[in-house]
């Protein structure tokens, strides 16, 4: 989540100047806009020691084969799919999907990217993702020392509604329709999960300040995500749902249609996971009830839950703890700690999440999401 200092309700820079704002607006590489291969950028990026998974899988010949195709639902093109990696070579993945069909129509690109990110998962048909949110199957417990160091626990999953394109391939209208639908769904959620829905476009300054103070409000403002189309038409259709206890939240149209979040202070991971499972079921049942459709979320027989970024496929889950390790931070820094975490199939991020700095604690979460049941991760 980007954590820039501007107000979530304030007009974007592009609204005032007429110039596109790279933190919010979709800016497509000039060569890709012409549906041509960006040969000069490729030549430059190939010299870098670190290359995005997209660039490792993609070449000019593949682009030429695929550049005349558009997906049926979103009209997604290979040029749009690779824009993030061509605009920002530091992107680890470097590509995004605009709809479910992207993963099959452009499988020449996405299959090797998926295998590159989700180590051990094969796209040859031998692997298949299975969802299992049964908290009773969790066996591992944390030591007392680990519990004391954990400041808070948060587990979130990404879910996309089956009746809409993914947001990079969507429009202002589809984002608003999603928010309208979810507002009706939230009215069906009861008990400890029930709460209130706040839209970015019409929340009061007092509500915004409280959400910022609680560290709940997502604010966009991320150039890599903007290059995928995540933040287009900001703040239209964006919103946040919060239960009364502030332990169950949903982000609407932050990137994927829904980010379903369970969180609390301390390190009771099992309780947080159980609440998440109940919450997912409540939202899924609510979508079915409101729409009258049998399928609520976008899924694939092999890939599990479908997401905009290939890194989130499968569970769509990031289970994280904020943990205080000041001596390790001083000795190794974020990059060093992340390297240690990668050896354990985890990831270390900044204090406020992805693309942020370390202040007094780190965010440690699972790296793997595809091919493993949720309770195991």
């Amino acid at each position: 989540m980007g954590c820039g200092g501007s107000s979530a309700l304030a007009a974007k820079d592009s609204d005032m100047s007429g110039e596109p704002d790279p933190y919010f607006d979709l800016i497509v590489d000039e060569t890709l806009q012409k549906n041509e291969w960006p040969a000069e950028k490729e030549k430059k990026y190939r010299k870098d020691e670190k290359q995005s998974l997209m660039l490792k899988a993609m070449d000019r010949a593949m682009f030429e084969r695929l550049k005349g195709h558009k997906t049926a639902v979103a009209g997604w093109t290979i040029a749009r799919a690779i824009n993030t990696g061509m605009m920002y070579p530091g992107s680890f993945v470097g590509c995004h999907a605009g709809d479910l069909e992207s993963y099959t129509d452009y499988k020449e690109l996405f299959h090797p990217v998926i295998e590159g990110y989700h180590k051990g998962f094969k796209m040859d048909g031998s692997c298949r993702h299975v969802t299992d949110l049964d908290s009773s199957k969790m066996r591992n417990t944390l030591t007392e020392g680990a519990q004391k160091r954990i400041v808070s626990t948060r587990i979130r999953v990404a879910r996309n509604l089956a009746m809409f394109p993914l947001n990079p391939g969507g429009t202002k209208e589809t984002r608003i329709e999603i928010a309208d639908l979810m507002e009706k769904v939230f009215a069906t959620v009861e008990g400890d999960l029930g709460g209130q829905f706040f839209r970015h476009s019409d929340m009061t300054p007092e509500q915004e300040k409280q959400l910022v103070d609680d560290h709940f409000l997502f604010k966009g403002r991320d150039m890599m995500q903007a290059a995928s189309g995540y933040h287009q038409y900001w703040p239209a259709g964006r919103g946040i749902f919060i239960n009364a206890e502030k332990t169950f939240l949903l982000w609407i149209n932050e990137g994927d249609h829904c980010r379903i979040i369970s969180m609390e202070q301390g390190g009771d991971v099992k309780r947080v996971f159980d609440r998440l499972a109940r919450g997912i079921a409540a939202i899924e049942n609510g979508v079915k009830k409101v729409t009258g459709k049998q399928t609520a979320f976008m899924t694939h027989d092999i890939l599990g839950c479908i997401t905009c970024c290939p890194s989130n496929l499968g569970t769509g889950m990031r289970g994280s703890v904020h943990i205080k390790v000041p001596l390790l931070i001083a000795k190794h820094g974020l990059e060093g700690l992340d390297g240690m975490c990668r050896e354990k199939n985890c990831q270390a991020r900044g204090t406020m999440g992805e693309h942020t700095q370390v202040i007094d604690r780190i965010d440690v979460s699972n790296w793997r999401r595809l091919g493993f049941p949720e309770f195991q991760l």
Side-chain angles (χ1 to χ4, degrees):
M1 176 177 65
C3 295
S6 64
S7 167
L9 302 183
K12 306 192 310 296
D13 293 341
S14 59
D15 294 335
M16 296 176 284
S17 68
E19 294 295 323
D21 181 350
Y23 288 99
F24 285 96
D25 295 323
L26 171 62
I27 301 174
V28 179
D29 172 85
E30 291 183 0
T31 307
L32 289 176
Q33 278 188 319
K34 302 173 186 176
N35 204 25
E36 297 175 357
W37 176 248
E40 291 301 315
K41 281 191 173 181
E42 179 199 21
K43 183 178 179 180
K44 177 182 178 181
Y45 296 165
R46 295 286 186 198
K47 297 177 182 178
D48 295 339
E49 182 179 347
K50 294 183 178 180
Q51 298 178 12
S52 68
L53 294 176
M54 177 277 293
L55 194 61
K56 291 178 181 179
M58 190 80 184
D59 59 21
R60 183 168 193 156
M62 184 190 300
F63 183 85
E64 294 297 333
R65 286 195 301 273
L66 299 174
K67 71 176 186 179
H69 180 73
K70 292 184 178 182
T71 59
V73 173
W76 197 242
T77 65
I78 193 65
R80 279 293 311 275
I82 67 174
N83 186 59
T84 300
M86 286 303 180
M87 290 292 292
Y88 301 102
S91 170
F92 184 82
V93 177
C95 57
H96 291 83
D99 49 23
L100 172 60
E101 290 74 18
S102 301
Y103 286 107
T104 52
D105 291 10
Y106 301 126
K107 63 183 180 181
E108 289 183 71
L109 167 64
F110 282 110
H111 283 195
V113 167
I114 291 167
E115 291 183 348
Y117 187 94
H118 303 278
K119 298 294 186 182
F121 194 90
K122 300 298 181 183
M123 292 299 298
D124 59 5
S126 61
C127 296
R128 187 177 299 272
H129 182 77
V130 177
T131 292
D132 193 334
L133 288 154
D134 186 351
S135 62
S136 68
K137 296 180 180 179
M138 296 176 66
R139 296 289 182 264
N140 296 332
T141 56
L142 296 174
T143 65
E144 184 177 347
Q147 288 268 10
K148 289 181 179 179
R149 291 183 180 275
I150 294 175
V151 179
S152 61
T153 302
R154 186 178 90 157
I155 309 176
R156 62 83 167 154
V157 296
R159 291 293 187 269
N160 287 286
L161 301 173
M163 58 289 299
F164 294 95
L166 296 172
N167 274 333
T171 63
K172 180 178 181 179
E173 289 71 27
T174 59
R175 286 168 168 83
I176 293 173
E177 287 174 22
I178 289 166
D180 290 345
L181 169 60
M182 292 308 300
E183 187 164 29
K184 296 175 183 176
V185 171
F186 295 144
T188 71
V189 180
E190 300 176 339
D192 65 312
L193 301 177
Q196 188 174 359
F197 182 44
F198 303 91
R199 294 191 188 230
H200 281 60
S201 56
D202 58 15
M203 66 177 66
T204 66
E206 293 77 18
Q207 289 171 336
E208 181 191 13
K209 182 180 184 302
Q210 185 61 57
L211 292 171
V212 170
D213 290 345
D214 289 337
H215 302 289
F216 291 160
L217 190 66
F218 66 92
K219 299 193 289 185
R221 201 167 180 77
D222 186 300
M223 290 190 292
M224 289 188 189
Q225 293 180 349
S228 75
Y230 271 23
H231 302 326
Q232 268 191 299
Y233 317 111
W234 186 275
R238 274 70 174 196
I240 179 171
F241 171 84
I242 308 174
N243 74 335
E245 290 77 23
K246 299 182 179 181
T247 55
F248 179 65
L249 295 78
L250 271 86
W251 289 354
I252 302 303
N253 291 324
E254 178 263 350
D256 292 295
H257 298 160
C258 301
R259 291 289 174 98
I260 307 174
I261 305 166
S262 176
M263 61 191 295
E264 64 181 60
Q265 296 298 305
D268 193 336
V269 177
K270 188 171 183 178
R271 183 166 61 195
V272 174
F273 184 79
D274 179 71
R275 184 189 305 114
L276 177 74
R278 291 189 295 111
I280 294 171
I283 296 300
E284 183 173 12
N285 290 335
V287 171
K288 292 178 179 179
K289 180 178 180 179
V290 171
T291 64
K293 297 182 181 297
Q294 294 184 338
T295 302
F297 299 135
M298 191 182 300
T299 60
H300 184 276
D301 288 344
I302 293 175
L303 296 174
C305 292
I306 294 298
T307 54
C308 305
C309 182
S311 66
N312 280 323
L313 290 167
T315 61
M317 189 179 85
R318 183 188 294 276
S320 64
V321 294
H322 270 179
I323 184 169
K324 284 190 174 182
V325 283
L327 297 180
L328 289 175
I329 291 173
K331 183 176 181 179
H332 300 285
L334 178 59
E335 186 174 350
L337 291 174
D338 186 45
M340 296 178 189
C341 290
R342 300 282 174 154
E343 295 177 2
K344 301 294 184 181
N345 297 310
C346 291
Q347 176 184 14
R349 304 190 300 169
T351 300
M352 297 303 293
E354 195 169 21
H355 307 149
T356 65
Q357 300 299 312
V358 173
I359 300 175
D360 61 344
R361 64 200 68 178
I362 58 173
D363 178 305
V364 178
S365 60
N366 57 295
W367 174 259
R368 300 179 298 186
R369 296 184 185 93
L370 178 61
F372 297 87
E374 286 81 355
F375 75 85
Q376 185 177 344
L377 295 177

